[in-house]
Amino acid sequence: MKYIDEFRDPALARNVIAQIQHDAAARGGARPIRLMEFCGGHTHAISRFGLRELLAPAIELRSGPGCPVCVTASADLDRAIALADAPGVILATFGDMVRVPGSAGTLYDARGRGADVRIVYSPLDALEIARRNPQRPVVFLGVGFETTAPGIAAALLQAEAEALPNFSVLSLHKLTPPAMRAILDAGEVALDGIIGPGHVSAVSGSAAWDFLPREYAIPCAVAGFEPLDILSAIGALVQAVVEGKPAVINTYARGVRPEGNRVAQQLLAQVFAVGPADWRGFGAIPASGLALCETFAHRNAALRFPVAVTPAREPPGCRCGDVLRGVIAPPECALFRRVCSPRNPTGPCMVSAEGACAAYFQFERLDVETFERSNVSTGA
Amino acid sequence: MCLAIPTQIVAIDEQHTATVTLGGVERRISLVMTPEAQVGDYVLVHTGYAIAVLDPDEAQASLEAFAALAAIQEELDQPADEIY
């Protein structure tokens, strides 16, 4: 068992697809069963393995807001870039962040004019940079959901334990359930089921999604990231829709427990305080952000390095916000492929490997006309 | 960003740091979130931390469910094959 190839067996996948189509046909209905894959990792896998095309037209898969880089608000990004420009500062962050355009350029551009911006794989690497540069402030730009934030918390506690005074964190961490609620409350897109984020749920537990069937009467299947994982989640959702029995179904039981990872949850509770956060495409969502709690104010880069920024500007014509709320699919944006591409991205959804626009650009064969036609016929 | 890779623990040192092989490269990862992890276990690695120990029994159960579905499908396909 290597936990990868076994879950990519094409023959088994064909069986699951046949079953899904059989079940979906039994339901009938005027429009396809529309499911949202919350997580950008799922979007990427769905596009890469061609699942969207294999399941159409009975099933429509709509991408959601589960790309932390993409949902980072322009104003927050501008603040991070201004911080990187501050004299002496070393700003460390994950690779995807450096190419995301803010109101005026990217972190990469900041590096071009002399800012010390470093790409790290882990917050522990940023800690090592702080150890090696004791005379310089090292700021870790923390972006990510429940999956990522505990690692930043652990790194911060490590800095405390080592009494490393020059390490601080600019926390743009966000929680996923409030964004899911925001989409359902807004009612801009009719959804029949949610493919729940597998690695977020490894931390927060599959029970974190219990509110979906309870309050919104919508099923949620927590899924892994291999094709068979995603297909079995879709199969479970279609069954729940057909039977009219919404529930949370954990189809990723090898990695996700109902209660999640208690140690990781403890780290979050110890280091962060829940508060409002700005999401691209949504605006402020209450109780959706993780700011450093007051105990660690001395490690809060937002307090240590106050920077002045002008009001943020969104890239003209970019519909990342609509893509992130699941209101449109990427090819429905006028800039998609024509102006905006991974080489020359207008918005963050084309930059990040998890961004829906990048996934569609790289892997999807369905052309714009097909999407427009399917939307006319489904009345989306 | 929420990408996490299943990988096997090769060794664990006294600081509870594990050695794993990721894409052919040896890396050290923190087991602070998975204190129960043992050498030989597969863990989900995310940004330098193991966030979950994979459960081989659950994985096997999923694969068996797929195999059972395949068997049912085969049975359903049988009469159609005979017609053609």
Side-chain angles (χ1 to χ4, degrees), chain A residues 320-365:
Chain A
C320 268
D322 293 334
V323 171
L324 290 166
R325 293 196 315 281
V327 179
I328 64 165
E332 293 173 69
C333 173
L335 304 188
F336 182 78
R337 240 185 245 283
R338 299 188 180 96
V339 176
C340 183
S341 69
R343 279 182 75 112
N344 188 21
T346 307
C349 303
M350 191 59 98
V351 175
S352 174
E354 291 181 317
C357 299
Y360 273 71
F361 187 97
Q362 226 182 324
F363 300 112
E364 297 283 345
R365 279 177 295 179

Side-chain angles (χ1 to χ4, degrees), chain A residues 179-204:
Chain A
M180 193 65 252
R181 272 183 193 278
I183 286 174
L184 294 170
D185 288 341
E188 290 176 291
V189 53
L191 299 172
D192 299 303
I194 310 296
I195 302 173
H199 294 143
V200 160
S201 304
V203 168
S204 57

Side-chain angles (χ1 to χ4, degrees), chain A residues 218-233:
Chain A
I218 189 169
C220 172
V222 173
F225 293 83
E226 298 304 332
L228 276 175
D229 290 320
I230 296 171
L231 286 171
S232 72

Side-chain angles (χ1 to χ4, degrees), chain A residues 275-291:
Chain A
D278 287 329
W279 294 59
R280 184 184 299 267
F282 292 80
I285 303 179
S288 72
L290 293 173

Side-chain angles (χ1 to χ4, degrees), chain A:
Chain A
M1 177 87 63
K2 295 268 191 279
Y3 295 97
I4 294 177
D5 292 346
E6 299 90 336
F7 295 90
R8 289 188 180 174
D9 186 321
L12 292 179
R14 270 192 290 276
N15 287 318
V16 184
I17 290 168
Q19 184 68 42
I20 291 169
Q21 273 162 349
H22 174 268
D23 290 348
R27 167 189 177 259
R31 66 165 175 79
I33 295 179
R34 188 182 291 136
L35 310 174
M36 174 174 278
E37 84 271 9
F38 184 95
C39 174
H42 283 146
T43 301
H44 184 89
I46 286 166
S47 291
R48 180 174 166 210
F49 293 105
L51 304 184
R52 215 179 298 278
E53 219 175 319
L54 284 169
L55 294 167
I59 312 291
E60 185 191 337
L61 297 172
R62 193 57 73 88
S63 305
C67 164
V69 170
C70 306
V71 295
T72 299
S74 291
D76 287 335
L77 192 60
D78 290 350
R79 212 163 292 129
I81 294 170
L83 210 155
D85 280 326
V89 165
I90 299 174
L91 186 122
T93 193
F94 299 122
D96 273 0
M97 276 309 283
V98 301
R99 289 186 59 230
V100 179
S103 300
T106 63
L107 278 169
Y108 198 72
D109 296 332
R111 185 152 79 172
R113 58 180 175 260
D116 195 344
V117 177
R118 305 200 191 174
I119 294 171
V120 293
Y121 160 72
S122 165
L124 296 172
D125 300 337
L127 215 52
E128 184 57 26
I129 294 172
R131 286 188 200 106
R132 289 187 188 176
N133 297 274
Q135 74 294 357
R136 294 179 62 189
V138 174
V139 176
F140 184 77
L141 171 56
V143 176
F145 297 136
E146 292 90 334
T147 324
T148 315
I152 283 84
L156 186 144
L157 292 175
Q158 182 69 31
E160 284 289 288
E162 294 178 29
L164 273 178
N166 60 328
F167 180 80
S168 63
V169 172
L170 182 62
S171 175
L172 301 180
H173 293 292
K174 292 177 176 63
L175 300 171
T176 49
M180 193 65 252
R181 272 183 193 278
I183 286 174
L184 294 170
D185 288 341
E188 290 176 291
V189 53
L191 299 172
D192 299 303
I194 310 296
I195 302 173
H199 294 143
V200 160
S201 304
V203 168
S204 57
S206 55
W209 304 102
D210 284 349
F211 72 94
L212 287 172
R214 196 178 55 226
E215 296 176 38
Y216 295 91
I218 189 169
C220 172
V222 173
F225 293 83
E226 298 304 332
L228 276 175
D229 290 320
I230 296 171
L231 286 171
S232 72
I234 292 169
L237 288 172
V238 169
Q239 229 168 30
V241 169
V242 170
E243 291 170 5
K245 288 181 185 157
V248 172
I249 309 128
N250 182 6
T251 61
Y252 194 30
R254 66 181 183 279
V256 174
R257 328 263 183 273
E259 72 282 7
N261 183 327
R262 298 270 195 221
V263 181
Q265 291 165 15
Q266 188 61 41
L267 285 167
L268 291 181
Q270 197 178 342
V271 170
F272 295 108
V274 176
D278 287 329
W279 294 59
R280 184 184 299 267
F282 292 80
I285 303 179
S288 72
L290 293 173
L292 290 189
C293 67
E294 278 191 22
T295 320
F296 300 111
H298 57 291
R299 304 242 173 234
N300 187 341
L303 300 176
R304 270 172 73 161
F305 308 96
V307 288
V309 287
T310 49
R313 275 187 307 119
E314 298 299 329
C318 172
R319 296 189 67 189
C320 268
D322 293 334
V323 171
L324 290 166
R325 293 196 315 281
V327 179
I328 64 165
E332 293 173 69
C333 173
L335 304 188
F336 182 78
R337 240 185 245 283
R338 299 188 180 96
V339 176
C340 183
S341 69
R343 279 182 75 112
N344 188 21
T346 307
C349 303
M350 191 59 98
V351 175
S352 174
E354 291 181 317
C357 299
Y360 273 71
F361 187 97
Q362 226 182 324
F363 300 112
E364 297 283 345
R365 279 177 295 179
L366 294 178
D367 56 22
V368 180
E369 286 72 27
T370 313
F371 270 96
E372 281 166 358
R373 255 202 321 277
S374 78
N375 279 327
V376 171
S377 63
T378 59

Side-chain angles (χ1 to χ4, degrees), chain A residues 148 151 199 254 257 261 354, chain B residues 1-2 46-47 49 51 53 55:
Chain A
T148 315
H199 294 143
R254 66 181 183 279
R257 328 263 183 273
N261 183 327
E354 291 181 317
Chain B
M1 186 75 71
C2 291
H46 174 74
T47 66
Y49 296 87
I51 58 165
V53 180
D55 183 333

